[in-house]
Amino acid sequence: MKRLLTMLLSAALLVSAFAGCGGEGKESSATSGETAGGSSSNQASTEETDWSSQEPYTVKLLIPGDAKTEDVEEVSAAASKILEEKYNTTLEIMRVGFGSYPDQVNLMLSSGEKLDVLYNNRDIFVSAINNGQIISMEEYLPEYGPDLLEQIPEERWATTSLNGEKYAVPANKEVAVSWGFSCVKEMADATGVDYSNIKTEEDLVPLLEAVKEMYPDVWPVVSGGGAMTVLNTNDDLGGDIGSLLDCTNPDDTTVINWYASDEYKEIVERRYEWVKKGLIPPDASSSSDQAATQIAAGRGFGQFCNTKPGIEVEQQRSTTKEMLVFTLTPVYTTTTRVDILWYIAHNSTQPGRAIQVLNELYINPELANICINGIEGKHYELIDEEQGIIAYPEGVDGTTTGYTSNPWAWPNEMISYVWDGDSPTIWEDTTAWNDSAIVSPAMGFTWDNANVLNEVTAVRNVRGKYANALECGSIDPAEALPAFLEELETAGANTIIEEKQKQLDEYLASKE
């Protein structure tokens, strides 16, 4: 086991510092220079410092994902054994289902309840900073997170910094994306439809209609928690309204209202027509069920999703069914695609200790595997020690495990075990995937909404009223889309877009 963990760490350190995309006009790759033995000055200083004499402290960590309370407590105890020996730190993991996670985050950040470190999407990045809900890591990283500073390239840190201060640790995972559709292979094959040439959303129609005819009790397309992915290549420039229409076009840096575009109108009109054809549930936008749950239960055939190396196996684990995935957009990357971030909450009483845990999660394969995959023999079994491949124990699957594995959500999935069915080279494949991406001309731009916070709040309320319902086909766009656009304008969407364009122009000018 020790030899395996050393091999995993060594391999991970070679790939963990990739900066995104190589080639002319793209970010250059970075190399950490680390080895499993730790030859860098930062690693040496970490090893020479005896942190075990620190006063006892419990780091409370919040992350989404279904899990049983007793299983989470068992995982926390196993992780704490490592952290107590090295740092005199106890880890308390708190897991909350994806559907209720945003509300739980808001509650904990606003209530003053103890919270040290949390996962979240980029969505909250600027607002949480401006609202004082998360704190700068800048003063703590040199002492408590030297490996993070060394292994995460500056290009990646730039996407999680504001006004020269680092506010989040970006997860080491895919930072490129393409969008597509995943579905149950057995059902697709049974229809007899030739799906080999599906390249667009519209191309899915014959397959979906055949599924509806053959399986009348199954919805061909289901939502996830009341939302459906919208297939596009726009760059939302860090969140809030205002996007580049097509970030694969390096010459277009005009900020537009995506919801007012012809492309958006076409998508929501198509989804509405699909509802009328019985391809999407009419109440999809009000469903609280995750898409994987519906597919696993035999109520759904497929869902719109992101695509990446290993996505088929990842979805198979959650649906318990062999899945097909159609890639329907180019692979691209933007600042927003550095999307899984780890923050230090303002109500952490010892931020340095929280960063110390993040640092250890990033570099320690043993700790990472416990937190990501759970307890060996209960939540997974090691079936190939040499290659570090794991599978569920007999009688356990993705729907019955007490501790679901979501490697992408943790700080560094690339030092964890590989699940059976994934390629043994999945982490190298992920690096290649990132390197293949088209880079947005606005990559590295960080949007600061401090000057338009009132408008941002008003626009978010309007989006919450219309966007998911339109994108799930639950309301008629002939009536709802004009009302949506009118209310966005009244809420101050144009003011936000003008401010975002100004900041983007300044950022682009600074790069010349």
Side-chain angles (χ1 to χ4, degrees), residues 241-317:
I241 199 165
S243 308
L244 303 185
L245 178 62
D246 179 9
C247 73
T248 67
N249 179 0
D251 300 319
D252 186 2
T253 56
T254 301
V255 182
I256 56 101
N257 180 350
W258 160 243
Y259 302 108
S261 68
D262 292 339
E263 288 80 358
Y264 185 78
K265 181 180 180 182
E266 179 183 342
I267 291 169
V268 297
E269 287 178 343
R270 181 187 304 117
R271 303 272 175 92
Y272 183 65
E273 288 300 315
W274 286 10
V275 169
K276 291 197 293 183
K277 289 180 178 181
L279 304 181
I280 299 175
D283 61 348
S285 64
S286 60
S287 172
S288 60
D289 289 341
Q290 292 303 309
T293 303
Q294 298 174 70
I295 293 169
R299 302 196 308 270
F301 166 65
Q303 64 170 317
F304 293 107
C305 65
N306 68 299
T307 73
K308 62 177 182 177
I311 187 65
E312 294 89 351
V313 177
E314 182 179 295
Q315 294 215 355
Q316 182 173 330
R317 286 198 297 272

Side-chain angles (χ1 to χ4, degrees), residues 6 13 17 21 30-31 42 78 144 148 180 215 217 222 247 295 308 329 336 362 381 393 417 466 487 497 510:
T6 300
L13 294 181
C21 304
T31 304
N42 276 343
Y144 295 100
L148 295 172
Y215 304 96
D217 295 329
V222 292
C247 73
I295 293 169
K308 62 177 182 177
T329 72
T336 303
Y362 205 91
E381 290 182 343
Y417 290 132
Y466 288 100
E487 290 186 37
I497 290 169
S510 71

Side-chain angles (χ1 to χ4, degrees), residues 51-62:
W51 295 105
S52 63
S53 59
Q54 296 180 111
E55 64 181 50
Y57 185 71
T58 297
V59 168
K60 188 169 185 177
L61 181 151
L62 181 65

Side-chain angles (χ1 to χ4, degrees), residues 293-448:
T293 303
Q294 298 174 70
I295 293 169
R299 302 196 308 270
F301 166 65
Q303 64 170 317
F304 293 107
C305 65
N306 68 299
T307 73
K308 62 177 182 177
I311 187 65
E312 294 89 351
V313 177
E314 182 179 295
Q315 294 215 355
Q316 182 173 330
R317 286 198 297 272
S318 60
T319 64
T320 72
K321 301 177 187 295
E322 184 178 2
M323 302 294 285
L324 280 173
V325 176
F326 302 106
T327 297
L328 306 178
T329 72
V331 181
Y332 67 94
T333 187
T334 69
T335 295
T336 303
R337 295 325 314 162
V338 186
D339 56 350
I340 304 302
L341 307 181
W342 281 87
Y343 303 97
I344 304 300
H346 72 95
N347 34 356
S348 172
T349 58
Q350 294 198 36
R353 301 290 290 272
I355 289 175
Q356 200 166 51
V357 168
L358 282 179
N359 189 87
E360 194 68 15
L361 278 167
Y362 205 91
I363 65 167
N364 187 327
E366 183 182 5
L367 178 63
N369 274 303
I370 290 170
C371 292
I372 292 172
N373 298 312
I375 305 300
E376 184 176 359
K378 181 174 184 178
H379 303 119
Y380 72 90
E381 290 182 343
L382 186 61
I383 62 173
D384 187 332
E385 184 171 357
E386 184 175 351
Q387 296 194 81
I389 297 175
I390 60 174
Y392 287 116
E394 185 176 355
V396 178
D397 62 33
T399 64
T400 60
T401 180
Y403 192 86
T404 55
S405 175
N406 298 312
W408 51 268
W410 290 87
N412 191 358
E413 66 175 357
M414 293 199 189
I415 59 172
S416 68
Y417 290 132
V418 174
W419 278 90
D420 187 33
D422 275 328
S423 166
T425 61
I426 182 65
W427 306 136
E428 292 87 343
D429 297 343
T430 300
T431 300
W433 166 266
N434 287 321
D435 288 343
S436 74
I438 300 169
V439 181
S440 169
M443 185 69 183
F445 169 70
T446 301
W447 158 240
D448 185 354

